[in-house]
Amino acid sequence: MDPTYPDDINEPAGMVVIGVDDADTDAYDAAFDEAQAEIGAGPEPEQPITADEQRVQDPMIQALGLYLLQEFAQRKTDRMQIEERWREDLRAYRGEYDPGFLASLREARPSASQLYVPLTRRVCTLVEARWADLLFPTDDRNFVVQPSPRQEMEQAVAMAQRLGPGQTVQVPGQALTLTSEAVLQALREAQEDAAAKAAAMQKTIDDNLKECNYPAQARRAMRDALQLGSGVLKGPMVMGKVKRVYTINPDGSATMQRVEEHKPAVVRVDPWNYYPDLSVGPGEIERMSGHYEMHRMNKAQLAKLARVPGFSEAAIRTVIAMGAVQLSTADPNAESRDAAGVGGVLPSTHNLIEYNGPVDHEQLRAWGATDIPEDSLGVSNACVFFSETGGIVVKVAVWPMDTDDSPYSVLTWIEDPTCVFGYGLPFEMRDTQVGANSAIRALMDNMGLSSGPQIVVNRKKVRPVNGQMTIEPHKLWELTEGTDDVKNVFGFFQVTSLAKELLAIFGQFKAMAEEIGGPAMALQGAEAPSYMQAGATGVALAFNAASVWMRRAVRAFDDLVTVPMIGRFVDWHMQNTPDPSIKGDLSAVARGTSALLEADGYAARVQLLTKMSAEAGVPVRRIVAQLRKIATALRLDPDEMLPNDAEVQQMEEERKKAGEQVSPEVQRIQLRKAEIEDNAQQREHELVIERMRSETRIAELAATKDITIEEARVRYGIQAAQAAADIQDRRDQRKHEAQKFNAELSMKAAAGSGI
């Protein structure tokens, strides 16, 4: 018998053991056995519990798990009505009728048409493609990181510029005097240093987003927003990634090592698994009392969490022992499985719930958390994982961000001012989709009825030879006795065909669906030829007009996702990255509307600026930066088409060695010439617009006078010819003035007198 006993074992009554040595263990065991025999066999000695098991069994931790489980159940109940709307939206997207409506339709008339025209899916697909193309044309970044605007710095630069050359400035609190030039140089160096740190931070975040394939995650969230009304993105989340590293040995062989890297990433969250506080409206996500997210795992995935730091192995063993939960037919994913044809296969999963929100400090200390911030209120944001079965807590950790910002961003298509969840395109198009389905079903039913006559038969006067009372080719009928005329036996009545009228009704609903859910595409409609006749400018105007309706969606993505998400990445690196070259007073700026939505006109403007910059001798790195913007606007990959930073630096050094010098006089002349060219292009643009307006006035005159376009041109010809003559005269006059001015510029430049 083992002489070592746990401290909590009570000795039998009447037995006192004092100073038992190792040599007396046999006597001790014999005395213990004798006492046990007198009082009966007692319980087996209990094994000591580990610290992990002890904290899981702590009453405060158990109370935390049960409280969160109860609140999660309430969140599920509160969201049931929204989930019903989501199911209806998904059925519209997939082109399926509600099961109850379909059953009633079959019961009312078994032969009724069940055709469903998926207009909703078509519009959703078009809008999704357009939205994604505007925000991620070449998977380019849709944000920039810039130094936060500081009014004090701008005021100091302005004051230093107002000082005359050689004037001195007394440094406050120090016996140091600086000249105005030195002050201005120091301020400019500070601005350049801030800009360099912002560029380094932007490059770091850009690398993080590329590694987690952020554009793909964002596009999936955009699809959710269109189908259900809400898309959810989560980040920055620290993700572990195994990287293969090869080392070349002296003998030429290579040795591979697996290195795990942990970097911040963005992940898309299924809206069906996200349970926010529904009392908070859009744009106020930081006011929520907490976020719940469900993670469905199999046994192997759950067991793998036991090796992740921060998770309790004892708690995970308990969750596994409790068994998996089978997917219910009432589960949100069950209907999708029915649509896929696997509704009868109900998988079993272990459901872990992730909670991000406020937790009492006492509960954090009970788990063993040590990095609790000092807060007199005794509450801090934390991350808690617990099981849906039993509320077993498997992890508790203080939220790692000092800013306490929520890791979730919710994107909505149509904003609901009372709830964080919005409305999607299927909801917006619901009535038009129902109307289109009703029209197409009526059309199919009418076609079936009008394709052949209704037949009335007098069964007493005729009988089929084969005994089947049906219409068939070459069928024999026998007349009964007393039947003198077969016309008195059969009667044929034709149902009126309403195909033309019903098709027109369906066409109206289809047009309404495209107008409500997605715009009537200008370049795809009946007006496309007139736009094409107007030349490239007309096409650009039409394209911009077709993009106006998407500005709201792009701005919503900027406001709800880009700015808060990139801001959290900046804060994460400021707190966790040791590199000082990326740290500073920085802020994220969205560029979805400024650089991507306006890409068409933007490319032309930047191209003109690049030409002027090259003529004025602007540094190569700035010209390359302008070319990158042009490449992005033209849907080209700037990394593939243009030199990288090292190549740009080499180009600058070569240009510097070559000693290319452009005099300020020539620079001013070149800039003035570029300005004249720009004005000429603007005048040409105005002329094109004037011609378009003339065509519009002719069309309006034709419509008002109820005449054709050609007749209107004849009546309007005098005014149009006079206007054209005036336009040509002004064009010739401006061209003459420009040529005269260019000649004067050339003479002055040659003489060295300036402009």
Side-chain angles (χ1 to χ4, degrees):
M1 186 174 180
D2 189 354
T4 306
Y5 302 98
D7 296 335
D8 58 345
I9 291 183
N10 296 322
E11 270 100 12
M15 177 179 177
V16 179
V17 181
I18 301 176
V20 180
D21 298 329
D22 293 340
D24 298 331
T25 54
D26 293 338
Y28 180 89
D29 290 342
F32 185 84
D33 293 341
E34 182 179 358
Q36 286 288 84
E38 292 179 358
I39 64 175
E44 290 292 332
E46 297 180 2
Q47 296 295 327
I49 63 175
T50 63
D52 186 18
E53 295 172 335
Q54 186 173 2
R55 67 178 180 180
V56 172
Q57 297 175 7
D58 189 290
M60 194 165 293
I61 297 300
Q62 292 179 348
L64 173 63
L66 293 176
Y67 170 76
L68 294 179
L69 180 61
Q70 181 180 4
E71 188 176 27
F72 173 70
Q74 184 62 44
R75 294 274 180 98
K76 292 179 68 175
T77 303
D78 295 340
R79 209 183 70 173
M80 291 178 63
Q81 189 172 358
I82 295 178
E83 290 180 357
E84 185 59 35
R85 186 184 76 209
W86 287 357
R87 292 187 184 94
E88 192 170 349
D89 291 344
L90 283 179
R91 284 193 290 267
Y93 181 82
R94 293 194 296 257
E96 301 173 355
Y97 284 109
D98 179 82
F101 173 79
L102 194 59
S104 62
L105 187 66
R106 292 170 178 170
E107 182 180 357
R109 188 154 53 90
S111 62
S113 172
Q114 301 173 14
L115 182 62
Y116 195 112
V117 182
L119 297 177
T120 301
R121 181 168 64 236
R122 174 183 177 273
V123 173
C124 286
T125 303
L126 288 174
V127 174
E128 178 190 343
R130 180 67 177 145
W131 197 6
D133 184 62
L134 288 173
L135 284 168
F136 303 99
T138 57
D139 284 354
D140 183 50
R141 72 175 69 92
N142 61 339
F143 69 93
V144 291
V145 178
Q146 297 177 349
S148 298
R150 299 179 60 182
Q151 187 176 3
E152 299 83 357
M153 178 70 71
E154 296 176 357
Q155 291 177 350
V157 172
M159 292 176 61
Q161 291 175 342
R162 286 197 298 267
L163 294 175
Q167 292 190 14
T168 59
V169 178
Q170 181 70 35
V171 178
Q174 299 182 17
L176 181 63
T177 302
L178 298 176
T179 63
S180 58
E181 292 83 359
V183 173
L184 188 59
Q185 180 65 23
L187 293 174
R188 288 175 176 172
E189 290 178 356
Q191 290 178 332
E192 292 177 356
D193 180 66
K197 291 182 176 180
M201 175 67 80
Q202 177 176 291
K203 181 66 169 58
T204 302
I205 297 176
D206 194 32
D207 292 341
N208 296 151
L209 298 182
K210 285 182 179 179
E211 289 188 4
C212 68
N213 200 0
Y214 170 65
Q217 302 290 337
R219 284 191 288 265
R220 294 179 65 189
M222 292 156 64
R223 185 180 301 118
D224 293 334
L226 288 172
Q227 294 181 9
L228 304 178
S230 303
V232 185
L233 289 170
K234 182 181 179 183
M237 304 300 298
V238 179
M239 307 289 288
K241 182 179 180 181
V242 177
K243 183 179 181 181
R244 297 177 181 178
V245 179
Y246 291 90
T247 304
I248 306 300
N249 300 322
D251 59 355
S253 61
T255 303
M256 185 193 72
Q257 294 181 346
R258 298 180 183 272
V259 179
E260 185 174 4
E261 297 180 341
H262 293 84
K263 294 184 178 180
V266 178
V267 295
R268 169 256 183 188
V269 178
D270 190 345
W272 289 99
N273 296 331
Y274 176 59
Y275 296 85
D277 184 358
L278 297 182
S279 65
V280 176
E284 302 177 336
I285 197 169
E286 301 300 334
R287 292 182 50 245
M288 289 189 182
S289 59
H291 307 260
Y292 290 87
E293 180 186 351
M294 177 182 291
H295 300 273
R296 302 177 186 273
M297 301 181 179
N298 57 33
K299 186 176 181 180
Q301 291 174 320
L302 185 58
K304 189 177 180 180
L305 287 179
R307 300 192 296 270
V308 178
F311 283 86
S312 169
E313 180 179 350
I316 291 177
R317 289 182 182 276
T318 303
V319 174
I320 293 176
M322 296 178 70
V325 178
Q326 190 177 35
L327 183 69
S328 171
T329 55
D331 190 272
N333 293 325
E335 191 163 342
S336 298
R337 298 179 65 83
D338 288 338
V342 292
V345 182
L346 298 178
S348 298
T349 61
H350 295 274
N351 298 336
L352 279 189
I353 313 302
E354 177 185 355
Y355 166 77
N356 287 281
V359 177
D360 292 342
H361 285 180
E362 294 181 358
Q363 295 169 330
L364 294 176
R365 295 189 183 95
W367 186 264
T370 57
D371 52 348
I372 303 175
E374 294 296 332
D375 189 350
S376 59
L377 299 179
V379 177
S380 296
N381 284 334
C383 177
V384 181
F385 281 83
F386 62 95
S387 65
E388 190 179 14
T389 54
I392 307 299
V393 178
V394 300
K395 178 182 178 180
V396 177
V398 178
W399 180 240
M401 296 290 291
D402 293 340
T403 57
D404 284 339
D405 290 338
S406 166
Y408 297 95
S409 294
V410 181
L411 173 66
T412 58
W413 175 251
I414 301 177
E415 184 179 283
D416 184 350
T418 63
C419 177
V420 69
F421 286 133
Y423 299 93
L425 270 177
F427 179 85
E428 191 176 11
M429 297 175 55
R430 183 169 297 175
D431 292 337
T432 55
Q433 179 69 72
V434 171
N437 287 338
S438 300
I440 204 67
R441 287 200 314 271
L443 172 63
M444 298 302 294
D445 291 341
N446 179 258
M447 288 175 60
L449 294 173
S450 61
S451 60
Q454 299 290 313
I455 304 173
V456 180
V457 181
N458 189 341
R459 300 174 66 97
K460 297 180 179 180
K461 295 186 178 183
V462 70
R463 63 173 177 267
V465 175
N466 61 0
Q468 301 292 330
M469 190 64 71
T470 57
I471 298 297
E472 300 174 9
H474 309 292
K475 187 168 184 176
L476 295 178
W477 299 81
E478 294 180 351
L479 297 177
T480 61
E481 296 181 1
T483 303
D484 53 352
D485 190 355
V486 73
K487 295 181 180 179
N488 297 327
V489 178
F490 290 97
F492 297 91
F493 302 91
Q494 187 68 35
V495 176
T496 304
S497 174
L498 300 176
K500 184 177 181 180
E501 292 81 356
L502 292 173
L503 275 175
I505 295 174
F506 172 77
Q508 290 294 326
F509 278 112
K510 182 176 180 294
M512 289 171 58
E514 293 185 352
E515 186 68 27
I516 295 174
M521 303 295 183
L523 295 179
Q524 296 179 3
E527 297 177 339
S530 63
Y531 281 113
M532 299 301 291
Q533 292 172 3
T537 303
V539 173
L541 291 173
F543 188 80
N544 288 334
S547 298
V548 169
W549 66 280
M550 283 301 299
R551 297 178 190 274
R552 176 188 59 83
V554 174
R555 291 187 184 277
F557 192 93
D558 288 345
D559 296 339
L560 298 175
V561 177
T562 302
V563 172
M565 180 71 71
I566 303 304
R568 294 197 294 268
F569 267 84
V570 171
D571 295 335
W572 190 93
H573 283 291
M574 291 290 293
Q575 179 179 337
N576 298 285
T577 302
D579 185 6
S581 65
I582 67 172
K583 297 187 176 183
D585 188 6
L586 309 174
S587 60
V589 179
R591 58 194 293 264
T593 52
S594 62
L596 300 175
L597 186 61
E598 310 291 347
D600 304 282
Y602 181 78
R605 293 192 297 270
V606 177
Q607 188 173 5
L608 176 62
L609 177 62
T610 303
K611 180 180 179 181
M612 296 170 59
S613 300
E615 294 176 350
V618 173
V620 177
R621 59 185 178 87
R622 294 191 179 275
I623 295 178
V624 173
Q626 296 165 3
L627 292 176
R628 285 183 173 274
K629 294 182 180 297
I630 294 178
T632 301
L634 297 177
R635 309 295 196 265
L636 300 175
D637 187 358
D639 295 333
E640 181 180 354
M641 307 294 294
L642 298 171
N644 55 31
D645 294 341
E647 293 170 339
V648 169
Q649 184 176 1
Q650 183 179 359
M651 293 169 61
E652 286 185 329
E653 293 176 356
E654 293 176 355
R655 183 173 178 177
K656 186 176 181 181
K657 290 179 182 179
E660 296 180 359
Q661 298 291 335
V662 180
S663 66
E665 202 70 37
V666 174
Q667 291 182 11
R668 288 196 294 271
I669 293 174
Q670 291 173 343
L671 290 174
R672 184 58 178 159
K673 285 183 177 180
E675 182 180 354
I676 293 174
E677 293 176 359
D678 184 32
N679 293 336
Q681 292 179 1
Q682 179 64 27
R683 287 193 293 272
E684 290 293 333
H685 175 72
E686 293 174 355
L687 292 176
V688 173
I689 298 298
E690 185 63 30
R691 281 196 292 270
M692 294 177 64
R693 289 174 178 170
S694 299
E695 294 293 330
T696 303
R697 286 194 291 270
I698 292 175
E700 291 176 352
L701 179 62
T704 303
K705 302 297 184 180
D706 195 16
I707 58 178
T708 64
I709 296 292
E710 295 301 327
E711 292 175 344
R713 289 184 188 277
V714 173
R715 296 186 185 184
Y716 195 70
I718 298 176
Q719 299 180 12
Q722 183 178 358
D726 294 339
I727 292 173
Q728 185 62 36
D729 182 61
R730 290 197 300 268
R731 178 190 295 177
D732 294 340
Q733 180 65 25
R734 290 167 180 165
K735 185 176 181 180
H736 173 71
E737 293 176 356
Q739 291 176 348
K740 179 180 177 181
F741 188 78
N742 285 335
E744 293 177 356
L745 286 178
S746 300
M747 294 180 60
K748 291 184 178 181
S753 60
I755 299 178

